[in-house]
Amino acid sequence: MTITGLDFGVIEPALPFLLEGLALSFFLTAAAMLGGIVLGLALAVVRLSRWKVAAILAAGYVNGFRAIPLVLVIFWFYFLVPLALGRSVGALQSVIIAFILFEAAYYSEIFRAGLKSIRSGQWQAAYASGLGYFQALRFVILPQALRNMLPLMITQAVVLFQDTSLVYVISLRDFMTSASIVANHDNRLIETYLFAALVYFVICAIGAASARKLSTLRRAA
Amino acid sequence: MTKALAQTPRASAEIVEMTTSVRTSPGSESGIPMVEISGLYKSYGGLEVLKGCDLVVDRGEVVVICGPSGSGKSTLIKCVNGLEPFNRGTLAVDGVTVGDRTSDMTRLRARIGMVFQHFELYPHLTVLQNICLAQVHVLKRGKVDAQAKARALLARVGLPDKEGAYPAQLSGGQQQRVAIARALAMDPVAMLFDEPTSALDPEMIGEVLAVMLELARDGMTMIVVTHEMGFARKAADRVVFMDQGAIVEIAPTQRFFDEPRAERAKLFLSRILSH
């Protein structure tokens, strides 16, 4: 296995260990997406609503989170959530909350753009037929908006997947942290980090390609 | 042809007062007009789009609203089902006051059909789903009943074989006929048409007007904003001419075409009928 002095033999025995880390990365991505989408949709709906005060608060939330680095949010919640609750929570719980709240700000912007992309005549047609606001949103506007938004949502998920590597700051073992442990333990930094880069590249390339494919499909439709 | 000509705004305002009790009996054959508009005023910022409009439309009556672009025609009919808010004046449909916080606007809208210039079919749904959506979610009709209704209406507008098609697969004329079927599926007491043929290629205008003409003959109350003067001659009981946010003339159809009184209406007619 030796090519130009590199020894990739260290990877194989470490695979189960690395997979555990990868599982955490995927889990965090899924949890943050799910929570972020639900909260993000609510924020977008409030921002586009007639409730002025709520809209301003939602805008403040979104702009606030988008102005802070994610790593800082992770740190804060690790220390703040236990303070707020008066008892300690695990690092995992605090990081899930941090990710959801952070991602919601970004998903909210995607939703807002998606909802605004639907022309007002569709709202009028829905209202004219007697549908209420939330019925119009659910049956008429959102299905169309989601179709427009899907490529952007996948792109956001790709970024999110990469961002899960930041959990190293509170000593959670995601894929990147696992790779780093293996690299230092076996003193094979170049090989391990090359392998890690390859894994990130393949996963993210698949995501990016499917986003591209979806957006061309949408244009053809 | 002489239905509801002489209602003064003041008299109609009194009728609104008297008839609030019939709200519970929608669609009744009572003497109240279908639509009563009185002193309707609306402005966007400094721009006055409606400058005090009065109009009474009787049950079963067909009224065509015409006038130059920007005269407020579309705004006026969008006020009728509350899609456009207004600043002053009163508006009642079938005895229900529009713009009143106590009125159930969604329920009222369900009983007023509306057809839009750009069809506004839901592009992600099939023709059948388009026609069933509000039946199921607003009228709470069963799916089977809703579909039966939809199919009957598709046959009526001449599109019995298009139920599985998506709007993008239909021509403009077909889409507009589906839109009419979608509105009729709610068993409306009145229908509003906002320039229903303006976005259509000339060869498709006829098929849409034919459906509307049949609807008029069946006794549907209709308010139609259109430039199609041929349709107005054939179907309208009265013609309303608007200019710069005001109703300039209301006349029985024959008289409107033969001897329009307002100078602006004369000018409009001479321009629109000369080509």
Side-chain angles (χ1 to χ4, degrees):
Chain A
M1 283 290 275
T2 307
I3 312 158
T4 62
L6 295 179
D7 177 12
F8 284 94
V10 297
I11 304 294
E12 207 191 328
L15 270 181
F17 185 75
L18 289 170
L19 272 177
E20 274 178 44
L22 192 60
L24 179 72
S25 293
F26 273 122
F27 170 74
L28 270 179
T29 305
M33 259 186 93
L34 215 68
I37 284 172
V38 172
L39 185 57
L41 174 60
L43 283 166
V45 167
V46 168
R47 268 191 92 173
L48 293 173
S49 74
R50 276 170 297 174
W51 312 309
K52 285 277 177 291
V53 177
I56 290 167
L57 288 176
Y61 176 99
V62 171
N63 293 327
F65 268 100
R66 293 198 329 148
I68 307 170
L70 175 57
V71 68
L72 196 57
V73 179
I74 294 170
F75 247 138
W76 271 1
F77 276 84
Y78 185 58
F79 294 111
L80 284 183
V81 171
L83 271 181
L85 292 178
R87 62 184 170 84
S88 70
V89 291
L92 185 62
Q93 280 88 328
S94 91
V95 88
I96 287 173
I97 294 170
F99 265 96
I100 287 177
L101 295 181
F102 186 82
E103 287 302 310
Y106 285 85
Y107 277 111
S108 155
E109 288 297 272
I110 295 175
F111 271 111
R112 200 161 66 100
L115 293 175
K116 280 170 94 172
S117 74
I118 307 302
R119 62 174 190 273
S120 65
Q122 289 284 303
W123 281 104
Q124 293 196 347
Y127 283 146
S129 71
L131 293 174
Y133 175 76
F134 288 104
Q135 285 180 316
L137 194 64
R138 179 175 155 207
F139 298 119
V140 176
I141 306 301
L142 263 184
Q144 298 181 56
L146 276 172
R147 206 173 289 193
N148 295 349
M149 287 159 27
L150 214 51
L152 266 179
M153 289 175 82
I154 294 175
T155 306
Q156 181 64 26
V158 168
V159 174
L160 169 60
F161 179 72
Q162 294 169 0
D163 282 351
T164 56
S165 60
L166 292 173
V167 298
Y168 80 89
V169 295
I170 55 165
S171 312
L172 276 176
R173 194 165 61 76
D174 73 313
F175 179 65
M176 189 59 221
T177 312
S178 306
S180 160
I181 291 169
V182 171
N184 287 304
H185 179 266
D186 298 336
N187 205 18
R188 284 289 173 188
L189 291 143
I190 295 172
E191 292 87 338
T192 322
Y193 285 139
L194 273 174
F195 177 73
L198 183 72
V199 170
Y200 274 114
F201 178 80
V202 168
I203 291 169
C204 295
I206 290 171
S210 56
R212 245 193 331 275
K213 180 83 184 158
L214 275 170
S215 69
T216 52
L217 275 181
R218 191 170 52 83
R219 242 173 274 132
Chain B
M1 282 298 213
T2 52
K3 288 180 242 174
L5 268 179
Q7 291 283 10
T8 66
R10 196 156 300 279
S12 55
E14 279 165 19
I15 290 172
V16 176
E17 295 293 313
M18 285 160 51
T19 53
T20 40
S21 59
V22 291
R23 279 184 196 180
T24 47
S25 57
S28 62
E29 294 301 317
S30 56
I32 42 160
M34 186 59 79
V35 178
E36 294 188 80
I37 301 169
S38 174
L40 207 68
Y41 177 92
K42 178 184 174 71
S43 64
Y44 293 114
L47 183 71
E48 295 177 302
V49 281
L50 295 177
K51 301 173 187 168
C53 297
D54 302 305
L55 177 66
V56 178
V57 179
D58 261 353
R59 283 161 204 283
E61 196 182 16
V62 177
V63 170
V64 161
I65 303 178
C66 62
S69 10
S71 58
K73 309 172 299 259
S74 292
T75 309
L76 181 67
I77 70 162
K78 282 183 178 169
C79 284
V80 172
N81 63 352
L83 286 183
E84 289 273 3
F86 49 88
N87 305 103
R88 288 200 300 273
T90 59
L91 200 163
V93 179
D94 202 12
V96 180
T97 308
V98 176
D100 187 342
R101 279 176 188 278
T102 59
S103 297
D104 186 346
M105 280 311 295
T106 49
R107 220 166 102 196
L108 179 63
R109 282 183 185 136
R111 295 169 45 227
I112 309 171
M114 182 146 195
V115 175
F116 296 85
Q117 182 178 357
H118 297 287
F119 331 132
E120 304 301 347
L121 293 180
Y122 310 133
H124 60 297
L125 301 178
T126 64
V127 164
L128 195 69
Q129 290 168 330
N130 261 279
I131 304 176
C132 290
L133 183 71
Q135 288 191 73
V136 171
H137 294 290
V138 178
L139 300 183
K140 310 291 175 200
R141 240 176 225 159
K143 203 174 171 187
V144 177
D145 290 346
Q147 289 184 347
K149 180 99 186 168
R151 292 194 176 102
L153 284 165
L154 279 174
R156 187 168 161 194
V157 300
L159 297 167
D161 52 343
K162 295 291 185 195
E163 65 170 65
Y166 283 90
Q169 299 168 313
L170 302 178
S171 72
Q174 290 172 331
Q175 287 191 54
Q176 194 61 300
R177 283 187 281 157
V178 171
I180 293 172
R182 179 176 69 178
L184 291 175
M186 304 296 284
D187 296 321
V189 293
M191 289 278 287
L192 309 173
F193 294 83
D194 184 12
E195 305 210 24
T197 57
S198 300
L200 294 176
D201 292 335
E203 69 267 28
M204 292 168 185
I205 292 175
E207 66 190 54
V208 172
L209 290 180
V211 170
M212 290 167 59
L213 203 58
E214 197 195 309
L215 202 58
R217 287 187 180 136
D218 287 349
M220 175 63 75
T221 308
M222 294 164 65
I223 304 180
V224 185
V225 172
T226 186
H227 294 296
E228 293 294 328
M229 291 300 116
F231 172 81
R233 273 185 198 279
K234 274 184 247 172
D237 296 307
R238 285 186 298 153
V239 178
V240 172
F241 179 76
M242 287 185 76
D243 191 27
Q244 293 175 19
I247 291 180
V248 178
E249 180 155 1
I250 305 179
T253 305
Q254 197 64 44
R255 208 194 76 204
F256 179 77
F257 286 109
D258 293 349
E259 39 180 329
R261 289 179 187 169
E263 284 305 316
R264 278 174 290 181
K266 282 180 196 165
L267 192 64
F268 177 79
L269 276 178
S270 71
R271 281 184 188 151
I272 206 165
L273 297 176
S274 64
H275 58 254

